[in-house]
């Protein structure tokens, strides 16, 4: 009886807690600050596709939730709140990376920005919450940690709250526990979403963000109570979410919508349309060893694999896969049809299905034993012309290497 009464009280709080730019956390205010900043400035990114130091200092001063530290040369991960907000900016689909020039540039998608501007605070808040929980892969912010979908943010949030119930931890415990699990950027996001309250400690020379204390909020308990049965305890759903790029947006709406009637519109990236035309790729093993290949947009990635192997005089006796960035900054894989566990196969994906514009980059990983890795850059898309061949090798530079030199 007591438990059911407590759950009823929590659900009432879920219904009645106002969502504004500054409640239940500073998420909507600071995310909008970052979004506007990205739209007003052509933001160059580092080679890891994160923000450079000079941009970080300016942004930290503009956010309501800013931090102090004693680092002389901070990186994006040194500002966990900016790191988390940048993760949301990419995972929401509001931005893309233009890699055509000398440096990659972060650009705001005009159509997505227009859709964002039509949303009310409830819809914005839960769109960002879904982006974090479903698509918040740390690879977006340059963290090569794997196994994200075996231990996604919601499970870390749940586990973290269980640890909080044990009592307060010493500073050394915080450093040990939070840097890697749930990670400082996840901790910062929990605070921005209003799930926890953080008390900062005084900055120390040559040290990063320091935490004195963390406490769960009632709003954090409310949301976790609402989401836990579906997103923590339902393993069948998480099996579906192993491929987030294939999951339709709006996973949270059926769970939260009954309690938040203002949460009506689901924020969804526009679908990528198939592109026709002649795709011209530069396929490189090094800066002085490359091939230029033209292939039609209606051809399969399997045909592109054949073209690369033919251009380098390699045999076709091994497995392979293509790896490329999605619009969310995560990594997509399309593999040889014999790799059954692959999310998609090269016999099912056409060249024109790729989210590709000039500057788009891919990796062709061939023969997992000898580990050949070819870098592909889409140079241009020309008007489609009649081609009897599946592809054309239009230029070569450098002598092809021996495929099995150790023989």
């Amino acid at each position: 009886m007591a438990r059911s009464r407590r759950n009823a009280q929590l659900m009432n709080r879920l219904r009645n807690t106002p969502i504004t730019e500054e409640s239940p956390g500073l998420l909507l205010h600071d995310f909008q600050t970052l979004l506007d900043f990205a739209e007003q400035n052509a933001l160059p990114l580092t080679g890891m596709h994160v923000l450079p130091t000079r941009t970080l200092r300016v942004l930290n001063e503009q956010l309501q939730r800013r931090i102090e530290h004693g680092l002389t040369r901070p990186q994006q991960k040194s500002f966990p709140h900016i790191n988390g907000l940048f993760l949301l900016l990419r995972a929401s689909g509001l931005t893309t990376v233009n890699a055509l020039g000398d440096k990659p540039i972060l650009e705001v998608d005009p159509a997505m920005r227009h859709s964002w501007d039509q949303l009310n605070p409830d819809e914005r808040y839960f769109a960002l919450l879904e982006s974090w929980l479903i698509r918040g892969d740390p690879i977006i912010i340059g963290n090569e940690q794997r196994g994200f979908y075996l231990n996604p943010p919601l499970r870390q949030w749940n586990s973290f709250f269980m640890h909080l119930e044990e009592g307060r931890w010493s500073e050394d415990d915080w450093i040990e526990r939070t840097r890697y699990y749930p990670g400082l950027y996840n901790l910062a996001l929990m605070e921005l979403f209003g799930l926890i309250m953080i008390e900062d400690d005084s900055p120390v020379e040559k040290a990063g963000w320091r935490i004195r204390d963390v406490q769960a909020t009632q709003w954090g308990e409310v949301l976790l109570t609402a989401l836990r049965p579906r997103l923590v305890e339902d393993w069948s759903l998480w099996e579906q979410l192993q491929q987030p790029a294939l999951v339709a947006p709006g996973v949270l709406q059926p769970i939260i919508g009954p309690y938040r009637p203002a949460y009506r519109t689901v924020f969804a990236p526009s679908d990528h349309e198939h592109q026709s035309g002649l795709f011209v790729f530069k396929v490189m093993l090094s800066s002085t060893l490359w091939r230029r290949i033209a292939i039609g947009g209606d051809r399969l990635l399997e045909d592109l694999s054949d073209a690369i192997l033919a251009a380098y005089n390699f045999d076709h006796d091994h497995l392979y896969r293509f790896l490329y960035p999605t619009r969310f900054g995560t990594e997509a894989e399309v593999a040889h049809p014999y790799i059954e566990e692959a999310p998609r196969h090269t016999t099912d994906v056409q060249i024109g299905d790729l989210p590709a514009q000039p500057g788009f980059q891919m990796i062709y990983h061939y023969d997992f034993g000898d580990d050949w890795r070819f870098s592909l850059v889409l140079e241009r898309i020309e008007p489609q012309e009649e081609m009897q061949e599946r592809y054309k090798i239009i230029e070569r530079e450098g002598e092809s290497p021996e495929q099995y030199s150790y023989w």
Side-chain angles (χ1 to χ4, degrees):
M1 181 68 70
R3 183 175 182 179
S4 62
R5 186 184 304 114
R6 172 174 168 76
N7 285 342
Q9 292 173 345
L10 289 174
M11 291 306 100
N12 283 333
R13 186 174 292 275
L14 179 58
R15 290 186 181 93
N16 299 325
T17 298
I19 294 181
T20 68
E21 281 201 342
E22 300 181 358
S23 172
L26 296 172
L27 174 76
L28 294 187
H29 178 278
D30 283 357
F31 182 82
Q32 194 69 31
T33 298
L34 177 58
L35 177 60
D36 292 342
F37 187 85
E39 188 169 50
Q40 295 162 10
N41 301 272
L43 291 183
L45 303 178
T46 69
M48 296 296 292
H49 286 193
V50 295
L51 297 169
T53 299
R54 62 182 180 275
T55 300
L56 297 169
R57 296 183 188 278
V58 175
L59 269 174
N60 189 51
E61 290 302 316
Q62 293 190 15
L63 300 182
Q64 280 202 24
R65 182 38 168 126
R66 60 183 67 92
I67 66 168
E68 297 181 21
H69 56 71
L71 300 173
T72 56
R73 300 186 63 182
Q75 301 174 332
Q76 182 169 300
K77 64 182 180 181
S78 309
F79 296 89
H81 296 79
I82 295 177
N83 211 20
L85 291 169
F86 185 85
L87 178 84
L88 297 181
L89 197 63
R90 300 291 287 117
S92 64
L94 273 162
T95 58
T96 58
V97 174
N98 183 339
L100 187 57
D102 294 336
K103 290 186 177 181
I105 301 293
L106 185 72
E107 296 180 342
V108 175
D109 184 313
M112 291 294 294
R113 176 61 197 259
H114 176 74
S115 298
W116 174 260
D117 289 341
Q118 313 310 308
L119 301 180
N120 63 46
D122 272 51
E123 292 162 343
R124 291 184 180 187
Y125 181 94
F126 289 109
L128 295 177
L129 184 65
E130 184 170 297
S131 295
W132 175 45
L133 298 181
I134 307 302
R135 293 187 297 274
D137 192 327
I139 196 173
I140 296 173
I141 50 178
N143 188 336
E144 294 295 333
Q145 174 187 352
R146 299 294 176 176
F148 166 69
Y149 297 106
L150 297 177
N151 195 19
L154 188 67
R155 294 188 185 279
Q156 296 192 45
W157 170 12
N158 182 61
S159 177
F160 188 71
F161 268 40
M162 292 174 63
H163 285 301
L164 283 179
E165 292 177 359
E166 298 174 0
R168 299 186 177 188
W169 298 331
S170 69
E171 178 183 333
D172 290 340
D173 286 333
W174 281 119
I175 294 172
E176 182 66 26
R177 291 173 182 256
T178 61
R179 188 169 302 280
Y180 300 103
Y181 188 89
L184 294 181
Y185 74 94
N186 276 326
L187 204 65
L189 282 174
M190 288 183 193
E191 183 186 29
L192 288 168
F193 277 105
L195 312 178
I196 60 177
M197 294 184 297
I198 298 178
E199 181 184 354
D200 290 355
D201 209 343
S202 301
V204 171
E205 186 178 0
K206 297 184 179 180
W209 181 36
R210 301 177 71 240
I211 299 169
R212 177 175 296 162
D213 190 35
V214 175
Q215 294 294 315
T217 66
Q218 289 185 322
W219 175 251
E221 294 178 354
V222 163
L223 271 188
L224 190 57
T225 299
L227 298 177
R228 184 185 286 117
R230 189 76 175 109
L231 297 185
V232 175
E233 300 167 0
D234 187 348
W235 282 97
S236 63
L237 175 63
W238 274 109
E239 288 178 0
Q240 302 171 33
L241 299 179
Q242 296 303 303
Q243 302 174 37
L246 305 180
V247 175
V251 173
L252 298 188
Q253 208 282 334
I255 305 171
I256 302 297
Y259 304 99
R260 306 287 306 192
Y263 180 21
R264 298 182 297 270
T265 302
V266 171
F267 183 65
S270 55
D271 292 333
H272 170 73
E273 295 183 359
H274 178 88
Q275 299 181 92
S276 300
L278 192 66
F279 288 64
V280 179
F281 288 97
K282 187 175 182 180
V283 183
M284 299 170 284
L285 276 174
S286 72
S287 60
T288 58
L289 179 54
W290 51 266
R291 306 289 184 259
R292 186 166 281 117
I293 296 172
I295 187 168
D298 58 343
R299 293 297 182 180
L300 297 169
L301 277 176
E302 181 182 50
D303 298 314
L304 181 57
S305 170
D306 290 345
I308 296 169
L309 297 176
Y312 281 91
N313 301 319
F314 279 20
D315 64 35
H316 294 63
D317 296 340
H318 302 280
L319 301 177
Y320 62 82
R321 59 180 181 162
F322 289 92
L323 302 170
Y324 60 88
T326 68
R327 68 171 297 144
F328 305 109
T330 54
E331 187 176 69
E333 176 182 355
V334 186
H336 190 289
Y338 286 179
I339 304 178
E340 295 182 358
E341 67 274 15
R344 290 185 295 172
H345 296 115
T346 55
T347 50
D348 301 321
V349 179
Q350 294 182 329
I351 305 298
D353 294 336
L354 299 172
Q357 295 296 329
F360 174 78
Q361 300 180 21
M362 280 197 300
I363 295 295
Y364 175 63
H365 186 193
Y366 177 70
D367 186 352
F368 304 151
D370 284 349
D371 200 35
W372 288 100
R373 292 176 182 264
F374 301 81
S375 298
L376 282 71
V377 177
L378 178 62
E379 294 186 320
R380 60 187 183 274
I381 303 176
E382 299 177 346
Q384 184 71 61
E385 61 180 44
E386 290 294 330
M387 286 181 58
Q388 298 300 321
E389 310 95 330
R390 287 188 297 157
Y391 52 81
K392 287 182 180 179
I393 303 168
I394 57 180
E395 195 171 354
R396 301 172 186 262
E397 179 67 33
E399 185 177 348
S400 295
E402 289 288 339
Q403 183 176 356
Y404 305 110
S405 59
Y406 52 83
W407 282 9

